[in-house]
């Protein structure tokens, strides 16, 4: 293996430019695939009468013809994108073996023309090669996505429960993996100007058989090295983050800030492991191939692309930039449900905006919900005498504003003169009752909202107005609307069917699948049983539970597999949800840094 090390080193001549290309290309491809998957699969769910994908309705969803078609289309798209990526990488690495430097634009041009040549000659066999190479070159990224993405996670769990039948599938996958490893030199062979993939397969297998011990050892050491590097980087980032949290965050929210940081760092590390993993594996494979006896190293053949080709490459990168910019705009400015829809996990909602840390249903409470990294804040909406929407839980203003009048008896101008903070704490004296528009504008792009529309017999149009305002501000992705009045949910759907709605139930009974205007159910935790959770999920709906403040109940809700916990203690819920994760012990150690 030692004699291969110089050859592996040679391939790194274009590594910096290749890394830049990978970061940009992978970023755009990931955004496009995930956002496209979310939109199309949600459309398929809606076509089937489901609002959410759950473990219980997964097989029914998967057997739907539209779902099958979408899966095939996405598989073709992903394999095509991967094949292009591998063409760029292998061309860049082989040019490095020939002692040539190549610009980022040049990499894209070389990769594209190689991609076009191979596709013209080999057709669908290119996708087979992409799948076979990807199974070991992208192993780090694939394992993470299987464990984290809902549809992949459900598939893995379903296969795990198959019984003896799963062993047949495991054997097939093992054989495919062995064949994939045996053909590992196919891309370097193709980069050496061989155009026929079948010939590349036939050439690669005997090469691997002759050197299988060293080849396997190199690939395994490479994978181990990537894993160790990613782990060390993760721990360093988390330790640095813990120090920053200790120095700059309010100690009251330190642990919740750390949990939120952990989620962010984990997603970044998943992305980077995909980039580093494929580059490291392809570098090792290309270096090994170039170092084998009897394998010719190509003479210099690269030239800067002609102006026409350079313009095409520029337009290609401009398109990638636009895709990434559009996704970032959606995620940061408008808010997005991407993480919620695609990634598995229980979400946390701050009750009444964050009533434990600030006066309920105020802008101060919503700011606290942002501080404690809640996924959602739940707020309550009432209508004034002059039909304006304000945040208020009770029908009476007495408890929070110390005014003994009903909310429908006062005008907005009168409400704006009231004070709603001193009943909580003298520090909040002067805190006003906010309008819904103010709350939405404060949370836009920063915090998702569960807007509970109150029904008091004096506000028949309140749900419709709420939905119109959410739509006007373009916050359908960021807001869900719930109510104890089921007809209000119908009003919301008539205004904008894309706004997700929830039916609030104080008792759990009846046929939940018949609630066509409710995308999720919000139920008091005492009523939640294992059977009820399964029924709700089989109906393609999510289950939110309220108001969960004890650790014992939090653990019970977690074990039952509810989808959202509404609580006055978001930080404690985060702790409970993190208890069984593999990095929970490390996070516990970091607690000492915060203290």
């Amino acid at each position: 293996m030692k004699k291969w090390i110089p050859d592996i080193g040679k391939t790194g001549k274009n590594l910096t430019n290749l890394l830049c290309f990978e970061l940009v290309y992978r970023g755009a491809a990931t955004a496009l695939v995930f956002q496209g998957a979310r939109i199309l699969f949600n459309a398929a769910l809606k076509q089937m009468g489901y609002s959410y994908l759950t473990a219980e309705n997964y097989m029914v969803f998967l057997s739907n013809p539209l779902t099958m078609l979408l899966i095939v289309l996405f598989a073709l798209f992903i394999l095509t994108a991967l094949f292009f990526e591998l063409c760029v990488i292998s061309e860049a690495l082989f040019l490095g073996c020939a002692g040539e430097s190549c610009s980022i634009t040049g990499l894209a041009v070389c990769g594209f023309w190689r991609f076009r040549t191979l596709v013209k000659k080999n057709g669908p066999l290119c996708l087979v090669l992409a799948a076979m190479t990807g199974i070991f070159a992208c192993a780090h990224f694939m394992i993470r996505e299987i464990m984290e993405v809902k549809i992949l996670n459900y598939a893995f769990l379903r296969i795990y429960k198959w019984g003896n039948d799963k062993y047949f599938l495991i054997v097939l996958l093992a054989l495919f993996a062995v064949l994939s490893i045996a053909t590992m030199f196919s891309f370097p062979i193709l980069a050496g100007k061989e155009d026929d993939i079948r010939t590349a397969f036939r050439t690669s297998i005997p090469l691997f058989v002759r050197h299988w011990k060293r080849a396997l050892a190199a690939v395994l050491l490479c994978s181990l090295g990537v894993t160790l590097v990613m782990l060390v980087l993760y721990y360093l980032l988390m330790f640095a983050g813990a120090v920053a949290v200790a120095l700059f965050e309010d100690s009251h929210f330190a642990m919740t800030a750390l949990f939120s940081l952990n989620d962010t760092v984990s997603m970044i590390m998943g992305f980077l492991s995909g980039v580093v993993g494929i580059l490291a594996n392809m570098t090792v494979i290309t270096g090994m191939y170039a170092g084998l006896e009897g394998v010719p190293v190509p003479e210099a053949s690269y030239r800067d692309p002609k102006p026409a080709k350079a313009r095409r490459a520029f337009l290609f990168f401009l398109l990638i930039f636009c895709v990434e910019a559009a996704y970032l705009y959606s995620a940061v400015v408008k808010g997005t449900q991407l993480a919620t829809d695609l990634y598995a996990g229980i979400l946390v909602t701050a009750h009444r905006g964050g009533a434990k840390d600030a006066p309920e249903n105020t802008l101060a409470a919503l700011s606290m919900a942002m501080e404690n990294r809640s996924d959602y804040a739940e707020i309550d909406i009432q209508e004034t005498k002059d039909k304006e929407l304000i945040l208020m839980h009770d029908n009476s203003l007495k408890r929070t504003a110390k005014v003994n009048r009903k909310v429908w008896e006062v005008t907005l101008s009168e409400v704006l003169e009231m004070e709603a903070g001193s009943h909580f704490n003298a520090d909040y004296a002067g805190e006003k009752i906010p309008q819904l528009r103010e709350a939405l504008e404060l949370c836009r792009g920063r915090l998702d909202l569960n807007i509970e529309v109150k029904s008091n017999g004096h506000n028949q149009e309140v749900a419709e107005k709420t939905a119109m305002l959410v739509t006007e501000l373009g916050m359908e992705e960021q807001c869900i609307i719930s109510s104890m009045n089921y007809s209000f949910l119908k009003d919301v759907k008539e205004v904008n069917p894309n706004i997700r709605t929830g039916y609030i139930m104080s008792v759990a009974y009846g046929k939940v699948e018949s609630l066509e205007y409710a995308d999720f159910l919000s139920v008091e935790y005492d009523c939640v049983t294992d059977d009820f959770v399964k029924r709700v999920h089989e109906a393609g709906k999510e289950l939110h539970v309220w108001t969960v403040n004890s650790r014992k109940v939090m653990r019970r809700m977690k074990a039952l597999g509810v989808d959202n916990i509404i609580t006055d203690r978001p930080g404690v819920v985060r702790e409970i949800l993190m208890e069984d994760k593999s990095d929970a012990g490390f996070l516990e150690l970091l607690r000492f840094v915060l203290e």
Side-chain angles (χ1 to χ4, degrees), residues 69-367:
L69 176 62
L70 289 176
I71 290 173
V72 170
L73 291 175
F74 264 94
L76 292 174
F77 176 81
I78 291 169
L79 289 174
T80 302
L82 178 60
F83 186 71
F84 171 72
E85 181 181 12
L86 289 166
C87 285
V88 173
I89 293 171
S90 58
E91 287 290 304
L93 294 175
F94 224 67
L95 286 169
C97 289
E100 298 183 29
S101 299
C102 191
S103 65
I104 298 176
T105 304
L107 291 179
V109 172
C110 286
F112 174 75
W113 290 108
R114 195 68 188 140
F115 169 84
R116 193 176 76 162
T117 300
L118 292 174
V119 169
K120 277 186 175 181
K121 186 173 180 66
N122 300 278
L125 200 58
C126 295
L127 303 181
V128 176
L129 177 59
M132 294 175 73
T133 306
I135 200 169
F136 63 88
C138 307
H140 299 84
F141 182 73
M142 289 169 62
I143 290 171
R144 181 191 181 275
E145 296 309 295
I146 287 172
M147 299 310 296
E148 298 292 338
V149 175
K150 279 183 182 179
I151 191 167
L152 299 178
N153 183 255
Y154 293 156
F156 178 78
L157 292 175
R158 180 69 63 176
I159 292 169
Y160 180 76
K161 295 177 181 178
W162 268 2
N164 292 332
D165 292 342
K166 68 185 174 188
Y167 297 113
F168 176 72
L169 180 61
I170 291 171
V171 169
L172 285 180
L173 290 175
L175 290 173
F176 185 75
V178 169
L179 184 60
S180 299
I181 294 171
T183 57
M184 65 165 59
F185 297 120
S186 297
F187 259 105
I189 291 168
L190 292 169
K193 306 313 172 191
E194 170 61 56
D195 291 337
D196 186 68
I197 289 178
R198 292 178 181 84
T199 302
F201 284 160
R202 288 194 292 268
T203 307
S204 175
I205 292 173
L207 276 176
F208 174 80
V209 170
R210 287 201 299 271
H211 305 282
W212 70 272
K213 289 183 180 179
R214 287 180 293 178
L216 277 181
V219 170
L220 289 173
L221 285 173
C222 176
S223 296
L224 180 62
V226 170
T227 301
L228 289 175
V229 168
M230 291 295 107
L231 281 174
V232 169
L233 184 56
Y234 165 76
Y235 288 132
L236 287 175
L237 287 175
M238 285 303 301
F239 186 80
V243 172
V245 167
L247 291 175
F248 303 112
E249 280 281 348
D250 186 328
S251 60
H252 184 63
F253 301 119
M255 281 309 294
T256 54
L258 190 61
F259 293 145
S260 178
L261 176 66
N262 178 68
D263 291 340
T264 302
V265 170
S266 294
M267 290 189 71
I268 292 171
M269 296 308 298
F271 173 77
L272 288 179
S273 69
V275 172
V276 174
I278 194 170
L279 286 180
N281 280 299
M282 292 303 294
T283 298
V284 168
I285 292 165
T286 304
M288 283 192 296
Y289 175 73
L292 294 177
E293 294 180 6
V295 173
V297 176
E299 297 180 359
S301 60
Y302 171 71
R303 297 288 183 273
D304 286 328
K306 294 179 181 179
K309 292 182 179 179
R311 281 195 298 272
R312 290 174 195 156
F314 172 77
L315 291 174
F316 173 75
F317 278 103
L318 181 63
L319 176 62
I320 287 179
F321 175 80
C322 290
V323 168
E324 292 181 339
Y327 176 72
L328 287 174
Y329 174 79
S330 174
V332 176
V333 179
K334 297 177 66 178
T336 180
Q337 286 285 322
L338 178 63
T340 305
D341 290 344
L342 293 183
Y343 287 95
I346 300 172
L347 301 181
V348 183
T349 296
H351 184 229
R352 298 186 189 175
K356 182 178 180 294
D357 301 307
E360 66 181 61
N361 283 307
T362 61
L363 299 185
L366 291 173
S367 296

Side-chain angles (χ1 to χ4, degrees), residues 503-530:
Y503 187 36
I504 302 173
M505 308 168 68
S506 55
V507 292
Y509 68 94
K511 294 183 177 181
V512 296
E513 61 273 10
S514 65
L515 301 171
E516 64 172 305
Y517 297 113
D519 298 310
F520 67 92
L521 300 184
S522 185
V523 180
E524 190 171 8
Y525 70 84
D526 281 338
C527 303
V528 178
T529 64
D530 184 58

